[in-house]
Amino acid sequence: MKAAITATAKYVPDEIMTNHDLELMLETNDEWIRTRTGISERRIMKDPGKATSFLCSEVARQLIEKRGMGAEDVELIIVATMTPDMLFPSTACLVQGMIGATNAWAFDLNAACSGFLFALNTAARFIESGAHRNVMVIGGDKMSSVVDYTDRSTAILFGDGAAGVILEPAESDDYGILDARLYSDGKNGKDHLLMAGGGSLNPASHETIEKRMHFIRQNGKQVFKAAVTAMADTAAEIMERNGLDAENISWLVPHQANQRIIHATAERMGLSEEKVMSNIARYGNTTAGTIPICLAELDEQQKLQTGSNLVLVSFGAGYTWGGMYIKWQ
Ligand code: COA
């Protein structure tokens, strides 16, 4: 049995932070940001009382409504996030409580920007094995809670947002999630993209706050190079394993970290721009949110037909990366 996506939904906050807004806070400019990253604006959830569980519960409510199911019908909720409301309880448990999914069990999964792909592949096993008839998979991050708005090398990149899907048994084995290759490299990845403070190694203290350790730090150049290689290689691997080519692929749905990384991946696949989903200009990098937001927008715009071949690829902190082949049902 294969697992197929039967509903998509997204939620982004209304508040927009443009590159011009950032010009007032940092020594940067709109032209630099657009040419180096492809980003023009991002969404920021300014209400301090709202966190990742709010973004994800808005998605969960829409998913239930779109699928015409009751909250009590949901069997499992997986939330991919690296900005949970709290270290515990999990954000997935908070979402489960907020929507009243009283029969679901729920857990978080953290694979940073690859979180949604890792969660989707995990969820697929529960469907394929017959253990569950549905799984709700949501990727969401309130990145503004961990971004240092005095650091121009990271502040420009990230935004807040969430999206998700419902996975159910596919109508036939020809549809749904047909292949996935997921990877991690903690040896080479651990020092280049991280938030050092707040965990068990560096619990919050005056020192961690003074050293600004509760914010994202990254070696942009190193991460850029690793991302280009990993995403392009994995996309090529997924194509080869599944007999896909530039003609029969309908959409590349890549993690939205930098338009130049997206472009390099598409080029390696021989894909023309019109087959590449990109909304980084409007949302920036929403971490676990990027790929499901892309899927939800393609779905909203009715650009996904039965039989459409989708290649999803991601790269993130860890390092974590991967690719997936979905034939749309
Ligand atoms: N505005 C203006 N200038 C900036 C700037 C900003 N926001 N950020 C950096 N610069 C400057 C640098 O100080 C540097 O100046 P110098 O040449 O005088 O030293 C110059 O621009 C080039 O900086 P560099 O870091 O080499 O730029 P880059 O082309 O590598 O682009 C990133 C920087 C962060 C956009 C790019 O490295 C990137 O996207 N990396 C991957 C990040 C990512 O995807 N992270 C998440 C992974 S999922």
Side-chain angles (χ1 to χ4, degrees), residues 28 32 36 113 152 218 220-221 224 255 257-258 260 315:
T28 189
W32 192 97
R36 295 292 178 113
C113 294
R152 69 177 182 175
Q218 82 166 345
K221 263 203 192 331
F224 186 91
H255 172 51
N258 185 314
R260 290 184 292 145
F315 184 85

Side-chain angles (χ1 to χ4, degrees), residues 26-29 32-33 36-37 113 151-154 156-158 193 218-225 227 255-258 260-261 285 315-317:
L26 292 162
E27 208 182 312
T28 189
N29 62 79
W32 192 97
I33 301 172
R36 295 292 178 113
T37 70
C113 294
D151 174 9
R152 69 177 182 175
S153 69
T154 51
I156 57 162
L157 297 172
F158 297 97
L193 182 51
Q218 82 166 345
N219 177 343
K221 263 203 192 331
Q222 199 78 34
V223 174
F224 186 91
K225 271 194 260 168
H255 172 51
Q256 312 278 306
N258 185 314
R260 290 184 292 145
I261 300 175
N285 182 350
F315 184 85

Side-chain angles (χ1 to χ4, degrees), residues 206-220:
H206 289 295
E207 194 194 349
T208 62
I209 290 172
E210 268 160 27
K211 289 186 173 165
R212 305 182 80 75
M213 287 166 74
H214 299 273
F215 293 120
I216 293 177
R217 292 285 169 249
Q218 82 166 345
N219 177 343

Side-chain angles (χ1 to χ4, degrees), residues 39-43 156-159 256-257 279-287 290:
I39 301 167
S40 297
E41 58 187 47
R42 66 289 291 142
R43 303 300 177 100
I156 57 162
L157 297 172
F158 297 97
Q256 312 278 306
N279 54 22
I280 190 170
R282 287 179 286 128
Y283 303 128
N285 182 350
T286 55
T287 301
T290 61

Side-chain angles (χ1 to χ4, degrees), residues 110-128:
N110 180 354
C113 294
S114 296
F116 182 75
L117 274 199
F118 279 41
L120 196 58
N121 198 42
T122 302
R125 300 292 93 78
F126 289 101
I127 299 293
E128 291 161 359

